[in-house]
Amino acid sequence: MKRLVLLSMLCAFVFGVAATASAADIKASGKYTFEAIWSNQSFEDDNSDTKFDVYQRLRTKFEFIANENLKGVLYTEVGTSTWGEEMQSGSNIKADKTDEGAVEIKAGYIDFNWPGTQQNIKVGQLGVTLPNAIGGSSMILDDELPTAMISGPITDHVAYMLGWHRLQKNSSTSDLDDDAALDAVSVALPLNFDGVSIQPFMVYGYGGDNYTVDYGVDEKAVEIDNVWWTGVAFELTMFDPFVFKADLNYGNADVEDKEDANGWYFGAALEYKGFDFMTPEVFFAWTSGDDDDADYKGEGQMPIMPGSTGDWALGSFFFGGDWGLKGSIDADDTALGFWTLGVSLKDISFFEGLTHTVNVLYIKGTNDEDNAVTSDTSRSYLTEEDSLFEVDLNSAYSIYDELTAYVELGWIAEDFDGKRDSGSDDAWKVSTGLNYKF
């Protein structure tokens, strides 16, 4: 009898799936990443900081397509986990990146065009990226957020994007307190013409009366009155094979009982695409740093919006930008207050399926030395007395079109001349693994 019940349940499940499939086409895509890394990324002169570990992350996206104008998207993730450690379980529907080891819904939303138009509407937890030209991502925001967004063309050369985002809500606050959230509205106006692209944008965030956030070194809970960013991404291709790209961002935050935090970011890069075997690029980036009279660490920096981050990176070690999961120092925590000048020789190829990239960067801090604390200063927090020299050699081999093997070598020579000079040492990494993208 039990077998009959189990068989009936199985048949019901199969027929249910078949009925669902007949109502919508299902498309699956994803990225499964496995990385083995041996490294010392702490800048500490101590052999115990050297470690070897193996990590994995599994991302799968399902699109349920009713027609060319309507689909639903479910994006799942088994977050980064370490081989040999117990994998956690849980769920997450908020704007953060605390997904290590958790089984979560990374995104889930409805995507449709308004009937008879090209105006696109997305509602749900979805990826939001502000316009950017260099660094591979926005310095301000590139994350999955609870969002309602509308976008589309205005003319052949002008488009628009308008969004509302729920960034964060205090979990300790009663559900009856409607003013315990941090929300934001965003707008962008991409302009694309022959040989030139200009994408201005603005984001305005506002906190409710009951919304608070831990702020500064004293971790005091304070209210955020408002926070906003504005900027523009620029790309010039009319002088092909030369391509020039630049970003300019400004941010400001009004915080209870604190001076306004505000700051700038500027980045520029020049590529030459005239070679068949290589693409050389020279780049420069600068962000304003802490002021010398700041009464909390963060004064003078571009404020980081609570609940969201950017994935901006140059090179593939200090700032991020690595192929894998744990192969960079700054992958999850962008500490502003630096400038960098560097060159990348990208996509070097002499054999089919095998490519190499070489990065060389000089990095120096713009934060005031008095704001650094020896014991708890982040590895990525640099003062005017600190500088780094980074060299990367990265290789990728395409086993199949969907399967790539990687080897990344990175080395950073440190010159901490301030409070962190004692006991510091160079950082290095050896990373290898597989990435299956389908």
Side-chain angles (χ1 to χ4, degrees):
M1 184 64 180
K2 291 182 179 180
R3 292 182 179 179
L4 181 59
V5 172
L6 291 174
L7 180 60
S8 300
M9 293 176 62
L10 180 59
C11 290
F13 175 76
V14 171
F15 288 137
V17 172
T20 303
S22 65
D25 293 329
I26 301 176
K27 178 182 177 182
S29 59
K31 182 185 291 187
Y32 291 4
T33 304
F34 300 84
E35 178 184 29
I37 182 167
W38 183 38
S39 67
N40 186 328
Q41 302 182 19
S42 67
F43 292 114
E44 297 293 332
D45 187 14
D46 187 343
N47 289 333
S48 64
D49 293 321
T50 300
K51 65 177 184 178
F52 171 81
D53 264 314
V54 182
Y55 306 94
Q56 72 177 56
R57 185 182 64 199
L58 311 176
R59 289 178 171 176
T60 307
K61 179 186 290 186
F62 300 96
E63 297 179 66
F64 302 90
I65 305 169
N67 54 61
E68 62 182 4
N69 293 309
L70 172 62
K71 65 180 178 181
V73 177
L74 178 63
Y75 192 0
T76 64
E77 176 181 75
V78 180
T80 302
S81 57
T82 306
W83 282 16
E85 294 182 0
E86 183 178 356
M87 186 177 296
Q88 300 175 0
S89 63
S91 62
N92 179 25
I93 286 287
K94 60 182 180 178
D96 67 20
K97 293 185 181 243
T98 56
D99 58 359
E100 293 194 1
V103 180
E104 69 167 6
I105 299 174
K106 188 173 179 64
Y109 58 94
I110 299 172
D111 182 343
F112 67 98
N113 293 331
W114 192 258
T117 74
Q118 294 180 283
Q119 310 311 308
N120 180 256
I121 300 172
K122 296 182 178 71
V123 179
Q125 172 94 354
L126 57 99
V128 180
T129 302
L130 295 177
N132 60 91
I134 74 167
S137 175
S138 168
M139 174 71 78
I140 300 168
L141 176 59
D142 182 358
D143 204 354
E144 285 76 30
L145 306 170
T147 293
M149 178 185 295
I150 181 170
S151 60
I154 299 175
T155 69
D156 291 341
H157 302 289
V158 182
Y160 75 97
M161 184 281 292
L162 179 63
W164 179 85
H165 320 281
R166 169 56 54 90
L167 300 177
Q168 196 174 57
K169 187 169 183 178
N170 291 142
S171 58
S172 60
T173 304
S174 170
D175 292 337
L176 298 178
D177 294 328
D178 293 333
D179 293 333
L182 180 66
D183 300 321
V185 292
S186 62
V187 59
L189 194 70
L191 311 172
N192 292 285
F193 303 94
D194 291 340
V196 62
S197 171
I198 304 172
Q199 301 185 69
F201 68 88
M202 185 172 185
V203 180
Y204 177 77
Y206 52 96
D209 292 339
N210 295 316
Y211 177 79
T212 60
V213 63
D214 291 339
Y215 198 87
V217 294
D218 56 1
E219 296 296 321
K220 177 184 177 182
V222 299
E223 294 182 7
I224 293 182
D225 296 324
N226 62 73
V227 56
W228 59 272
W229 293 265
T230 187
V232 61
F234 176 82
E235 185 170 350
L236 186 67
T237 58
M238 63 175 59
F239 300 110
D240 185 66
F242 289 96
V243 176
F244 175 75
K245 298 177 287 186
D247 288 312
L248 180 63
N249 296 169
Y250 174 79
N252 185 87
D254 295 327
V255 183
E256 175 194 24
D257 299 329
K258 299 291 183 180
E259 298 179 15
D260 291 352
N262 60 84
W264 293 88
Y265 154 64
F266 170 74
L270 180 64
E271 281 185 337
Y272 180 73
K273 295 187 175 182
F275 299 131
D276 293 333
F277 63 93
M278 178 180 64
T279 302
E281 177 186 59
V282 60
F283 53 81
F284 172 80
W286 173 88
T287 66
S288 53
D290 285 345
D291 197 355
D292 58 358
D293 59 356
D295 61 352
Y296 61 97
K297 188 161 58 179
E299 163 67 13
Q301 293 188 34
M302 182 182 298
I304 298 298
M305 186 179 292
S308 61
T309 63
D311 276 334
W312 182 94
L314 291 172
S316 59
F317 195 5
F318 181 74
F319 293 113
D322 57 304
W323 77 275
L325 307 174
K326 295 287 187 177
S328 63
I329 291 173
D330 201 23
D332 299 319
D333 179 23
T334 301
L336 302 182
F338 65 85
W339 66 264
T340 182
L341 177 66
V343 61
S344 289
L345 305 179
K346 302 183 294 184
D347 301 324
I348 303 171
S349 181
F350 300 103
F351 302 98
E352 184 178 358
L354 180 63
T355 60
H356 310 278
T357 295
V358 177
N359 304 313
V360 179
L361 296 80
Y362 178 76
I363 307 162
K364 192 169 180 63
T366 59
N367 295 301
D368 190 85
E369 166 65 13
D370 292 337
N371 293 330
V373 180
T374 304
S375 61
D376 62 359
T377 297
S378 166
R379 293 173 298 170
S380 58
Y381 184 85
L382 301 177
T383 75
E384 296 169 335
E385 303 297 324
D386 302 326
S387 63
L388 305 170
F389 182 75
E390 174 181 337
V391 179
D392 310 314
L393 174 59
N394 308 324
S395 301
Y397 178 68
S398 181
I399 301 173
Y400 294 100
D401 290 341
E402 301 84 3
L403 182 63
T404 304
Y406 292 88
V407 175
E408 286 193 349
L409 308 176
W411 171 70
I412 300 176
E414 56 78 24
D415 186 10
F416 294 122
D417 287 336
K419 296 180 179 179
R420 286 183 295 170
D421 180 46
S422 176
S424 59
D425 198 2
D426 296 348
W428 54 269
K429 70 168 181 179
V430 179
S431 169
T432 186
L434 296 170
N435 188 53
Y436 173 43
K437 186 177 181 179
F438 59 94

